[in-house]
Amino acid sequence: MKKLTLKDVAKQLGVSTATISNAFNRPDQLSASKRTEILEACKEIGYTGPNRAAQILRKGQSNIVALVLADSLDYMVTDPVANTFIQGVSRVLRENQKHLLLYAGDSDTITDVVDFVDGFICYGAPRNGALSTQLNQQSKPVVTVDFNLEGRPAINIDNEKASYEIAKAALRPGDRAAILGLRLIDSPSTCRIYDSPLLDAESSITHRRLDGYCRALKETGIEVATDWIWNLPENAGMYAVQAAREVLQSSPRPDVILCMSDIIALELLQCALTMGIDIPGELRITGFDGIEEAARTRPYMATVCQSSVEKGMEAAKLLLSGDNTSMSLPYEIKLGETI
Amino acid sequence: MKKLTLKDVAKQLGVSTATISNAFNRPDQLSASKRTEILEACKEIGYTGPNRAAQILRKGQSNIVALVLADSLDYMVTDPVANTFIQGVSRVLRENQKHLLLYAGDSDTITDVVDFVDGFICYGAPRNGALSTQLNQQSKPVVTVDFNLEGRPAINIDNEKASYEIAKAALRPGDRAAILGLRLIDSPSTCRIYDSPLLDAESSITHRRLDGYCRALKETGIEVATDWIWNLPENAGMYAVQAAREVLQSSPRPDVILCMSDIIALELLQCALTMGIDIPGELRITGFDGIEEAARTRPYMATVCQSSVEKGMEAAKLLLSGDNTSMSLPYEIKLGETI
DNA sequence: TAAGCGTTCTAAATCGTTTAACCTTTTGTT
DNA sequence: AACAAAAGGTTAAACGATTTAGAACGCTTA
């Protein structure tokens, strides 16, 4: 019992293959009566429609969109921001009958999929530079999120401005301030920056956040040495814990700690509370992202709220529209109870 | 600048297309010297290898595996169990150079992808019965996880036995007991079961858990009326909260509450602690799954630990192996501090 | 010398569609 | 009535590979 093909069906119905194909794809190319007649007959004999694999080859279009994640899936999954982002993407894709191919950015090539995928949504700068260049060299559409790729449309929030604003709200003149940063330098473990060279500063959102913090610090008349800036290689609790301990045990302890993500800030808060430090009396903390958990803590976190779902949805819409214009999404400063 | 094809390359090198194809796919079909000569020449002129779309059509194999999730992606993403499962699947697929197509089970058809996908991993029973029958009727390999599909290999743990054991550990003769269940009946919101007809009892893991609980209850000499069994439509906090409130406010209050997932149990624990109920003095609670968060609460949760990552990995391995034998994975009873 | 055999490569069929180009009718216009 | 345009189909050439059957070649063996 082989699978039916267009040809088989055409033969059975006594019409050309083109007509069958048109019945399925281009209703304007044949009379309505013939069309329904054909479709009914197909249902009758069990032909479910043109073979997708053949369609992909012929049309050069597969309805598959690759979502390239900067980090390995292992990290992605534990990160609520990435999580909800995927949600948003998938929602829009589904509405448009597109399919989602999940692609981890730590793979070192896209050659396996570039031939059949309709486009790429790229979430976060690939760790792996080769992937960026490959993405840029191929001709399928690309939408970048939370980083920039030359000549490609990007979805972003104004990270510099948002960071500036949350920092400005948290800082008082005369403060000692520390920063818990993310992917600022190339290091596999949590550490202070000192004078390590900054990583990939052009396209990285965390560097924009750093810029924003620095502007606010300068305006408030505060200086921050690079040994008061920590760097985490990934946005995961296990890296945050170590930074939190170190920064809280340093003496004199900072009055403010600016964290580049809520995951980091929450771990820090937890750690500080355990140590009996009064928040915000003795120490002020800011986060970034606005994940749900940050709103449930006590005291609840001062942070920058951005809608990851919306980001995902806009990214997908942008890709599908074929438009080439970047987009800056709104955010909201939530003062919370930690500053 | 059109893309190079096998034909172009063959013409340029003065050999047949078959030889080029063989150079890439079947090294044994030509001399080693010719092969390296060809591959080098290809690199030289910028031919990166056979077009995947054409390969898919011709070979009938795409290296794409569809992961069909029972729930919509929206729910999936917030569920750490599903999350880590995906992780496991993706890890094995990547190791084998396969790609992952994420497919939400609330879509009503697989016809869009069945033609080009190499197989399906199906996580949880699709809500939508049509999808099950479609999966069964098509001829591509299917591996089911946490439910059964006739004639298809399944990955599971022994839910009945595990539930029996955790319940047995929690129950004392003379207890009043309640159950917070999952997807036992067809209802869009949290409610007691009363005498609603049970749903899809054959293939559902939550029915196996119910069986296990019931065996333990019977052995301990406890009777549970169906109005002491709650049903949640999804494994999500928002549904759990309501059930938790209702069950805790009922009087007399139960001495033990058996929860079919950690998400539910944690919400219940939270709720009970807020109400000032002593755990486990006044109330014992059991969960199911062994998610990380359940180990971090205070008191920490009594639960059945199963490794979702491993489940995912085994599912993927099973699919790729082409084997047709089901598999029961180990689990571990963690007594915790809540019983 | 011719047959037999392994190796290396080629020609041509095939995978299942889509679609540009072309051919008939039918309809509308003057 | 004559002709253009539209409607409804058909033919056949792609799309870019894989793969079977067999040709050509050099070599051994009887």
Side-chain angles (χ1 to χ4, degrees), chain B residues 50 67 190 265 303 317 324 335-336:
Chain B
L67 175 52
T190 300
T303 190
K317 279 183 201 160
N324 205 45
L335 293 179

Side-chain angles (χ1 to χ4, degrees), chain B residues 99-269:
Chain B
H99 300 289
L100 175 58
L101 191 79
L102 212 49
Y103 208 79
D106 52 358
S107 316
D108 51 352
T109 174
I110 53 166
T111 48
D112 280 0
V113 300
V114 70
D115 283 334
F116 65 82
V117 148
D118 288 347
F120 298 87
I121 296 176
C122 208
Y123 183 67
R127 316 301 300 283
N128 170 344
L131 217 161
S132 292
T133 43
Q134 280 183 43
L135 274 173
N136 237 351
Q137 278 163 7
Q138 57 84 42
S139 60
K140 300 272 170 89
V142 176
V143 168
T144 66
V145 181
D146 281 358
F147 79 110
N148 295 300
L149 204 57
E150 203 182 312
R152 306 289 192 170
I155 302 272
N156 247 314
I157 66 165
D158 188 337
N159 282 280
E160 199 274 344
K161 184 150 167 278
S163 303
Y164 166 80
E165 289 172 9
I166 189 89
K168 204 70 201 287
L171 295 170
R172 316 266 183 278
D175 274 346
R176 279 184 304 271
I179 295 175
L180 300 194
L182 206 49
R183 294 186 203 136
L184 296 169
I185 61 170
D186 185 19
S187 160
S189 58
T190 300
C191 64
R192 297 175 196 228
I193 289 192
Y194 297 109
D195 45 5
S196 313
L198 291 192
L199 193 67
D200 196 18
E202 279 317 304
S203 66
S204 154
I205 55 162
T206 53
H207 286 87
R208 292 295 77 70
R209 293 184 192 171
L210 187 58
D211 292 345
Y213 290 160
C214 288
R215 180 153 67 96
L217 287 163
K218 188 171 282 179
E219 268 192 32
T220 320
I222 303 173
E223 281 200 34
V224 173
T226 54
D227 53 335
W228 280 76
I229 305 180
W230 270 258
N231 181 67
L232 280 64
E234 299 281 348
N235 187 26
M238 53 177 283
Y239 298 112
V241 168
Q242 195 195 334
R245 291 214 183 106
E246 285 188 28
V247 71
L248 290 178
Q249 278 161 10
S250 60
S251 73
R253 205 170 53 211
D255 307 299
V256 188
I257 305 179
L258 308 171
C259 303
M260 287 200 186
S261 83
D262 283 348
I263 299 270
I264 304 174
L266 288 175
E267 214 69 55
L268 176 67
L269 176 63

Side-chain angles (χ1 to χ4, degrees), chain A residues 49-85:
Chain A
N51 177 297
R52 302 293 169 174
Q55 246 177 358
I56 294 174
L57 172 60
R58 179 57 231 228
K59 288 198 174 182
Q61 202 218 38
S62 63
N63 292 335
I64 303 176
V65 170
L67 175 52
V68 180
L69 299 164
D71 303 314
S72 83
L73 271 184
D74 295 7
Y75 286 110
M76 175 292 289
V77 156
T78 60
D79 183 351
V81 185
N83 252 339
T84 46
F85 175 80

